[in-house]
């Protein structure tokens, strides 16, 4: 049997300390029944408060309860010994006054309760000190009040009031002693001895409670400090791993980009185009795309760890169209490994589902990017969407040979990943995908066929989805030319201007450029464009201010505005959308995604 531990009786009163097995069950049950009413009284008024405030209220209630019980029990004893009603009646009133303090806490009048307790202690100490004279040592009560002050009060003003009350009580008592205004009772030697030791017992009881509470608070602080130290050590280690992994993963695609660009420069200087140029361009695109994904995942992880949970914005989404768009974007990356992406839709899949399209897209982006990394060259990746029971699902299957069992059990933890040529990752994608899936009230699973394939499946509730089914799956989006359309690019970075201008010119668009918001507004008023691509960070007038002016101008407010920003955080995009932007693309801009945005706003396609 275990040793009975009596080092924390306060915990027994609260009912939080386990009663040790040395005590027989029947005795243990009686002990708990005895302390249960006391625990309830001590907890009066402490519900639904912060832990520190609960602790202070319990201290006040405990001191008040003990003082009240001692006064009510000792009063009759002293009356029996001395026969003085001047002791009995005030003692009973004293007991009732401290029950009144507990009642004040029960009514959540905390400040009044704490001040009343200290004032009552001082008043009754002075009364009995004057009445009994040197039979009792009033200074013991005053010393107790000083020690209790730091447990009961936190504000300097309250501590100062307590010291003033204590000092005032001491001065009043000494004045009565010195002036002899009231003649103290005189008792026989034996009676005086009993009264003196009963009073010492009272003081010891009150000080013991203070010491036990102080010990409990100190132990709690030490445990919190140890836990916080362990958390900081773990966070510091995680930060080291985070920096090491991130710097390594960024350096690899950056090395590929840097090396490929140098090879292309050498070709240009030599005046002849190498036969390997097309494959180099594909590799350059793949490395750049991968680097962008790494940065996005790092940013998302930092937000998750900071507790910045995105608000979920449910709306109806055409799941087929969304998956086609995502597959179309990633087809370019897959081509660098001669990998083909197959889309397979179940007939039972609703035409539209209720979800947050942004978070859903991030989940599928991460799953598809992982599949491209680890699948075999010249293989297929299958994206399947369908219905299973009361859930709809999307699965992504690669032909990468499966995952080892030891990695499979912790595959959704951050920094768990493998290497695949220069297409690498921090191992954050699956961790973030799981977080977003749970945020959307779904879940994500993984299945492996040994030496063959890996399938990640994400499930979502089917409630709120459109039960109608389309007759045929939509075809992949095809490129469209935007002849006779004019797009105004408001961008302060010259390189970004050149890149966007070349892309738009190749799409048949007439392009206007402005270096800041002021120039952009002037140009838009002179030559009303069909669409505006607006940078969010610019000198003179930033994107938010420019958007506000555009939407307040009757002649410009109907022009679609696309925000282009390096800020990938969802709340930033949501803020611009609320202020009137039609769409939001993040830098570096993926042209396939931008083409879909242009099709939506320049060809009159409706956004669902």
């Amino acid at each position: 049997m275990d040793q009975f531990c009596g080092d924390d009786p306060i915990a027994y009163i609260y009912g939080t300390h386990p009663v040790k097995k040395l005590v027989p069950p029947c005795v243990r049950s009686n002990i708990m029944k005895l302390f249960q009413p006391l625990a309830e009284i001590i907890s009066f008024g402490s519900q639904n408060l912060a832990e520190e405030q609960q602790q202070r209220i319990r201290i006040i209630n405990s001191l008040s309860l003990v003082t009240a019980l001692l006064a009510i029990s000792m009063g009759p004893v002293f009356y029996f010994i001395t026969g003085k009603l001047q002791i009995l009646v005030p003692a009973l009133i004293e007991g009732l006054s401290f029950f009144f303090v507990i009642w004040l806490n029960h009514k959540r009048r905390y400040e009044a309760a704490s001040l009343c307790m200290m004032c009552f202690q001082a008043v009754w100490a002075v009364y009995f000190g004057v009445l009994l004279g040197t039979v009792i040592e009033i200074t013991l009560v005053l010393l107790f009040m000083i020690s209790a002050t730091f447990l009961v009060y936190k504000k300097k003003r309250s501590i100062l009031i307590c010291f003033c009350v204590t000092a005032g009580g001491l001065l009043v008592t000494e004045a009565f002693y010195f002036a002899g205004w009231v003649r103290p009772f005189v008792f026989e030697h034996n009676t005086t001895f009993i009264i003196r030791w009963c009073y010492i017992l009272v003081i010891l009881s009150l000080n013991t409670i203070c010491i036990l509470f102080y010990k409990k608070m100190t132990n709690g602080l030490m445990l919190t400090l140890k836990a916080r130290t362990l958390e900081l050590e773990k966070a510091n280690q995680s930060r080291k791993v985070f920096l090491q992994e991130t710097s390594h993963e960024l350096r690899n695609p950056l090395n590929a980009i840097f090396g490929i660009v140098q090879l292309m420069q050498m070709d240009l200087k030599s005046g002849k185009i190498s036969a390997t140029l097309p494959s180099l361009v594909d590799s350059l695109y793949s490395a750049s795309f991968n680097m962008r994904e790494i940065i996005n995942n790092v940013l998302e992880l930092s937000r998750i760890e900071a507790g910045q949970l995105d608000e979920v914005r449910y709306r109806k989404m055409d799941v087929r169209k969304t998956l086609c768009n995502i597959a179309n974007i990633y087809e370019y990356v897959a081509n660098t490994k001669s990998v083909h992406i197959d889309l397979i839709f179940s007939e039972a899949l609703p035409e539209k589902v209720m979800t947050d399209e942004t978070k859903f897209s991030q989940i599928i982006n991460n799953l598809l990017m992982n599949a491209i990394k680890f699948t075999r060259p010249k293989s297929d990746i299958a994206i399947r969407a369908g219905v299973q029971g009361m859930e709809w699902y999307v699965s992504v299957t690669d032909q990468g040979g499966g995952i080892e069992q030891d990695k499979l059990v912790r595959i959704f933890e951050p920094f768990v990943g493998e290497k695949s040529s220069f297409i690498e990752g921090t191992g954050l994608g699956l961790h973030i995908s799981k977080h977003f899936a749970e945020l959307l009230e779904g879940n994500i699973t993984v299945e492996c066929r040994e030496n063959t394939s890996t399938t990640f499946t994400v499930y979502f509730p089917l409630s709120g989805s459109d039960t109608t089914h389309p007759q045929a799956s939509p075809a992949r989006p095809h490129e469209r030319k935007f002849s006779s359309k004019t797009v105004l690019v408001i961008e302060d970075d010259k390189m970004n201007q050149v890149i966007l201008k070349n892309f738009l010119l190749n799409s048949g668009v007439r392009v206007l450029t402005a270096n800041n918001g002021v120039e952009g507004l002037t140009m838009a008023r002179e030559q009303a464009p069909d669409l505006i691509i607006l940078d969010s960070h610019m000198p003179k007038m930033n994107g938010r201010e420019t958007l506000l002016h555009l939407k307040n101008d009757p002649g410009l407010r109907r022009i679609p505005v696309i925000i282009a920003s390096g800020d990938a955080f969802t709340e930033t995009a949501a803020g611009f959308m609320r202020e009137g932007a039609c769409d939001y693309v993040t830098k570096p801009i993926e042209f396939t995604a931008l083409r879909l945005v242009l099709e939506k706003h320049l060809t009159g396609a409706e956004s669902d």
Side-chain angles (χ1 to χ4, degrees):
M1 291 186 294
D2 297 334
Q3 182 77 18
F4 177 80
C5 181
D7 61 343
D8 196 358
I10 299 300
Y12 281 101
I13 293 176
Y14 289 160
T16 58
H17 195 296
V19 181
K20 303 302 178 180
K21 295 180 181 178
L22 182 62
V23 181
C26 58
V27 177
R28 191 185 314 157
S29 176
N30 292 331
I31 291 174
M32 297 308 295
K33 287 180 181 178
L34 174 65
F35 283 127
Q36 186 62 33
L38 298 179
E40 292 178 1
I41 295 173
I42 288 171
S43 298
F44 274 176
S46 64
Q47 292 80 10
N48 303 321
L49 296 176
E51 179 61 32
E52 184 179 0
Q53 194 172 359
Q54 287 185 22
Q55 187 81 337
R56 294 180 188 281
I57 292 169
R58 287 169 179 165
I59 293 172
I60 294 171
N61 286 344
S62 297
L63 292 174
S64 299
L65 179 61
V66 170
T67 305
L69 293 177
L70 287 173
I72 291 174
S73 59
M74 290 294 184
V77 173
F78 284 0
Y79 175 73
F80 177 77
I81 295 173
T82 64
K84 303 289 186 181
L85 286 173
Q86 295 93 325
I87 295 178
L88 175 61
V89 175
L92 297 177
I93 296 173
E94 179 185 5
L96 294 176
S97 68
F98 282 99
F99 279 125
F100 175 70
V101 172
I102 298 174
W103 180 83
L104 286 175
N105 271 333
H106 181 60
K107 293 297 182 181
R108 297 186 176 273
R109 301 180 65 177
Y110 306 124
E111 188 70 20
S114 60
L115 289 175
C116 282
M117 190 199 72
M118 284 301 183
C119 290
F120 289 163
Q121 290 282 3
V123 168
W124 293 113
V126 170
Y127 175 82
F128 287 110
V130 171
L131 194 67
L132 300 177
T134 55
V135 173
I136 60 173
E137 291 291 341
I138 189 62
T139 53
L140 294 177
V141 176
L142 299 175
L143 289 173
F144 154 73
M145 290 176 63
I146 292 173
S147 64
T149 297
F150 297 99
L151 285 172
V152 174
Y153 297 110
K154 187 176 181 180
K155 298 178 180 178
K156 290 183 179 180
R157 181 179 65 87
S158 300
I159 294 175
L160 180 61
I161 291 173
C162 181
F163 272 112
C164 291
V165 170
T166 304
L170 181 60
L171 291 174
V172 169
T173 306
E174 290 299 320
F176 273 94
Y177 286 166
F178 180 77
W181 293 329
V182 176
R183 186 173 180 179
F185 290 145
V186 178
F187 304 107
E188 295 180 357
H189 177 73
N190 291 341
T191 302
T192 300
F193 183 81
I194 293 172
I195 293 175
R196 181 179 180 83
W197 273 99
C198 286
Y199 192 74
I200 290 173
L201 177 62
V202 172
I203 300 301
L204 285 175
S205 299
L206 295 176
N207 275 284
T208 299
I209 290 176
C210 286
I211 292 170
L212 289 174
F213 269 112
Y214 178 77
K215 179 184 176 183
K216 184 177 179 65
M217 291 175 67
T218 303
N219 290 342
L221 290 173
M222 289 301 297
L223 289 174
T224 303
L225 181 61
K226 289 179 180 178
R228 187 62 56 85
T229 302
L230 290 174
E231 287 178 6
L232 290 174
E233 289 176 354
K234 184 178 179 180
N236 188 46
Q237 182 62 29
S238 298
R239 189 175 293 107
K240 289 179 180 178
V241 174
F242 179 85
L243 292 174
Q244 290 171 355
E245 291 286 339
T246 304
S247 62
H248 172 73
E249 307 304 347
L250 285 173
R251 190 175 295 276
N252 280 344
L254 186 59
N255 285 341
I257 294 168
F258 189 57
I260 291 169
V261 169
Q262 290 181 87
L263 291 174
M264 294 172 70
Q265 281 184 328
M266 291 169 60
D267 281 351
L268 290 173
K269 287 179 181 178
S270 66
K272 56 183 179 179
I273 302 300
S274 170
T276 61
L277 182 61
S279 63
L280 287 176
V281 172
D282 286 343
S283 297
L284 180 62
Y285 173 81
S286 182
S288 304
F289 193 94
N290 183 55
M291 192 169 185
R292 190 188 72 163
E293 292 299 297
I294 291 172
I295 293 172
N296 286 343
N297 281 336
V298 168
L299 291 174
E300 286 296 344
L301 180 68
S302 66
R303 287 164 46 76
I304 293 170
E305 292 188 338
Q308 299 174 353
L309 299 180
D310 291 327
E311 179 186 353
V312 178
R313 297 178 178 86
Y314 285 103
R315 69 184 184 92
K316 287 193 174 182
M317 178 192 77
D318 187 329
V319 64
R320 291 170 174 80
K321 180 179 177 182
T322 301
L323 290 174
C324 282
N325 290 343
I326 293 172
N328 191 54
I329 291 170
Y330 280 85
E331 189 75 53
Y332 290 96
V333 184
N335 284 340
T336 62
K337 295 178 67 175
S338 299
V339 170
H340 179 65
I341 301 174
D342 289 324
L343 286 168
I344 305 166
F345 299 131
S346 166
E347 292 183 1
L349 182 68
E351 183 176 2
K352 294 184 179 180
V353 295
M354 287 296 293
T355 189
D356 185 315
E357 186 171 355
T358 301
K359 291 178 178 55
F360 172 77
S361 297
Q362 286 178 284
I363 294 170
I364 304 304
N365 286 346
N366 281 325
L367 295 182
L368 190 51
M369 191 66 186
N370 266 10
I372 295 171
K373 289 176 195 175
F374 302 123
T375 196
R376 295 192 308 272
K378 300 180 181 180
S379 64
D380 291 336
I381 292 173
I383 301 177
R384 293 179 173 84
V387 175
Q388 182 174 308
M390 296 302 296
E391 295 178 314
W392 65 278
Y393 68 88
V394 177
S395 67
V396 179
T397 303
D398 65 66
Q399 304 297 320
I403 303 172
E404 293 86 347
Q405 189 62 35
D406 60 332
K407 291 182 180 178
L408 195 61
V409 295
R410 56 189 198 91
I411 192 69
F412 294 107
E413 296 177 13
F415 306 116
V416 178
E418 298 181 11
K419 312 303 180 195
S420 175
S421 68
F422 62 82
I423 304 180
E424 301 188 28
T426 55
L428 301 178
L430 292 177
H431 175 70
I432 293 167
S433 295
K434 180 177 175 61
H435 170 76
F436 282 146
E438 292 173 349
L439 208 59
L440 296 176
E441 301 179 4
N443 69 301
I444 187 169
T445 63
V446 56
E447 296 179 6
C448 289
R449 293 178 60 190
E450 189 175 356
N451 301 321
T452 305
S453 64
T454 303
T455 300
F456 286 92
T457 307
V458 58
Y459 296 89
F460 301 102
L462 197 56
S463 57
S465 301
D466 192 338
T467 56
T468 59
H469 312 296
Q471 295 301 314
S473 299
R476 294 275 184 87
H478 59 275
E479 294 188 5
R480 296 176 180 173
K481 295 294 183 179
F482 308 108
S483 57
S484 75
K485 300 293 184 180
T486 301
V487 174
L488 170 60
V489 177
I490 307 176
E491 168 68 68
D492 65 312
D493 188 283
K494 293 295 183 182
M495 183 176 294
N496 287 337
Q497 273 190 20
V498 170
I499 293 171
L500 278 172
K501 185 174 182 179
N502 277 278
F503 167 73
L504 293 170
L505 289 173
N506 287 335
S507 299
V509 174
R510 176 172 173 259
V511 183
L512 305 174
T513 58
N515 297 312
N516 54 62
V518 176
E519 289 183 16
L521 285 172
T522 302
M523 191 168 293
R525 289 177 179 129
E526 291 175 353
Q527 309 177 56
D530 297 291
L531 183 140
I532 296 173
I533 298 178
L534 176 62
D535 182 27
S536 61
H537 299 284
M538 296 181 295
K540 296 187 179 179
M541 183 184 292
N542 62 32
R544 197 173 296 277
E545 294 170 332
T546 306
L547 179 62
L548 181 64
H549 284 289
L550 288 169
K551 292 305 168 183
N552 288 334
D553 190 320
L556 303 175
R557 66 177 54 164
R558 295 187 180 278
I559 299 174
V561 179
I562 311 303
I563 301 297
S565 174
D567 190 341
F569 291 143
T570 307
E571 65 267 20
T572 305
F576 275 107
M577 299 294 280
R578 284 194 301 269
E579 291 165 13
C582 293
D583 235 309
Y584 188 94
V585 293
T586 56
K587 297 178 181 178
I589 297 173
E590 214 293 319
F591 287 152
T592 307
L594 180 58
R595 178 174 293 279
L596 295 172
V597 172
L598 294 177
E599 288 180 359
K600 182 164 63 173
H601 298 291
L602 288 180
T603 63
E606 295 180 358
S607 60
D608 295 305

